Amino acid sequence: MTELSVSQIKEIRTAVLGAAAKVPGALIGMGVLFIALGMIGIAGQTLFSFVTINVLGAFLIFGGAVQFAHALKSTGWKSVGIQVVLAVLYIAAGVYTWAFPIPALEAITLWLAAIFFITGFLRLISAFQHRHFREWFWLVLSSAISILMGVLIMNGYPESSLWLPGLLIAIELLLQGWSLLFLGLAARSLTK
């Protein structure tokens, strides 16, 4: 295998980063912002959970209002009635989320536990389908961790509903922030 030259590495980075290479400062700034939000979320998981559920409620209400307005302007469309019903359901879900944030957080926590269980079992099936590869152990390990996460969530339910959604979103913000930061730093190194 031959070594790549510095110019070849820069060409590959430019091809991979594309337009992101032109605005490394924006990537770095977004990365720092997401890291800061993630750290705030980890420090105040319960508050972050309530902020998140209120933002979700706002998006549901806004989405329902937009869908309702679109349905009213779409005369002659056979699905107008269905779209109006869906819009009302979105708005009702948003109002319910605002009026009753704790049951909404509990529902989201149950949904998260279900996602962990389902993905864990699907990975386990996939692992056994690929057991002839040496690396199939990693799929089993990933499956076990997902199932364990589901068990841990259910073991602490419903108390975990107050802090778990905020913690998971905070961790996601931290991971996204670090990846954007490093992507921005890599893009900035191309301009030097």
Side-chain angles (χ1 to χ4, degrees):
M1 185 177 256
T2 61
E3 293 287 323
L4 296 174
S5 68
V6 173
S7 63
Q8 289 173 319
I9 291 173
K10 281 191 173 188
E11 284 179 39
I12 292 170
R13 279 188 172 174
T14 302
V16 169
L17 292 173
K22 297 176 185 170
V23 287
L27 291 173
I28 292 170
M30 284 191 328
V32 169
L33 175 65
F34 282 15
I35 290 168
L37 287 173
M39 291 172 69
I40 290 168
I42 287 179
Q45 300 156 3
T46 302
L47 175 64
F48 216 61
S49 289
F50 281 101
V51 167
T52 301
I53 202 70
N54 282 316
V55 169
L56 175 65
F59 281 139
L60 286 169
I61 291 170
F62 179 74
V66 169
Q67 187 168 0
F68 187 79
H70 178 264
L72 292 181
K73 289 186 177 186
S74 300
T75 56
W77 186 28
K78 292 182 180 183
S79 297
V80 170
I82 293 172
Q83 296 305 315
V84 168
V85 169
L86 289 172
V88 169
L89 287 174
Y90 273 108
I91 293 169
V95 169
Y96 178 84
T97 300
W98 276 354
F100 306 103
I102 292 176
L105 284 170
E106 289 174 353
I108 286 174
T109 303
L110 284 176
W111 180 73
L112 288 169
I115 293 293
F116 278 118
F117 281 125
I118 291 167
T119 58
F121 284 118
L122 290 176
R123 281 192 197 117
L124 189 61
I125 291 168
S126 179
F128 283 106
Q129 289 174 340
H130 296 90
R131 66 184 173 274
H132 52 281
F133 294 113
R134 272 186 307 153
E135 294 80 9
W136 79 288
F137 168 77
W138 294 107
L139 281 171
V140 172
L141 181 63
S142 172
S143 168
I145 290 171
S146 289
I147 293 169
L148 179 63
M149 289 293 294
V151 168
L152 290 173
I153 290 170
M154 290 309 297
N155 191 38
Y157 183 82
E159 293 82 15
S160 61
S161 302
L162 295 176
W163 57 268
L164 184 72
L167 176 65
L168 292 176
I169 291 169
I171 290 170
E172 170 59 25
L173 284 170
L174 278 173
L175 294 174
Q176 182 67 11
W178 283 111
S179 63
L180 287 172
L181 177 66
F182 288 126
L183 187 64
L185 291 173
R188 188 170 71 179
S189 72
L190 290 175
T191 59
K192 291 182 180 183

